[in-house]
Amino acid sequence: MTAGAGDRSGSDPGDHRRPRWVYGEGTEPDARFSLANERTALAWVRTGVGLVAGGVALTSFSTFANLPGLVDVVAAVACLVGGGCAIYALVSWRRNERALRRREPLPAPGGLPVLVTAVILLAVLIAGYAAAAGLGESAVLP
């Protein structure tokens, strides 16, 4: 008998999927729900990679353009938030997959408010920097 055929419980000795703390519980959910959960996790990872790439781009740009350290701070925050998105993707995927396998309601998403807050913070920092830089240049111009 193949894994997943016949008895669909997570305790099937032929089921060698990892991590066991996810796949060792409950019963096999509908594949569509598991795949949707995986796509959501991958979207969070993609968001994290984008933020890290943006942080690296900001740092590189600030080095070439001789910009002040505030840009490096914004870049560091973007990189940290990007890493946090990747961690959240794994934690959220695990919680949701276990809930699906246990036939429980899905837990409430906790990462979205954090990401929105971080993006707003980055936007305010960059807007503040741009406004301060613009005011500084206008004071020098005749």
Side-chain angles (χ1 to χ4, degrees):
M1 185 181 317
T2 61
D7 177 24
R8 296 176 57 86
S9 70
S11 60
D12 180 8
D15 188 357
H16 299 292
R17 293 180 293 174
R18 298 282 186 251
R20 293 300 307 151
W21 40 266
V22 171
Y23 294 113
E25 292 197 24
T27 59
E28 196 68 27
D30 186 337
R32 294 173 293 178
F33 300 128
S34 286
L35 292 173
N37 186 31
E38 183 179 356
R39 281 191 303 274
T40 302
L42 291 172
W44 278 100
V45 169
R46 191 171 47 246
T47 300
V49 168
L51 284 166
V52 170
V56 170
L58 274 175
T59 298
S60 299
F61 180 70
S62 71
T63 301
F64 293 127
N66 226 4
L67 295 175
L70 178 62
V71 176
D72 287 328
V73 170
V74 172
V77 169
C79 288
L80 291 173
V81 170
C85 283
I87 292 168
Y88 176 74
L90 179 62
V91 169
S92 178
W93 170 82
R94 179 190 74 108
R95 285 184 326 154
N96 291 339
E97 192 67 25
R98 289 177 78 178
L100 286 170
R101 295 182 70 79
R102 294 175 180 166
R103 308 280 192 242
E104 297 174 351
L106 293 177
L112 188 57
V114 174
L115 180 63
V116 169
T117 302
V119 169
I120 291 170
L121 177 65
L122 282 170
V124 167
L125 284 172
I126 292 172
Y129 171 75
L135 289 175
E137 285 180 14
S138 65
V140 175
L141 295 175

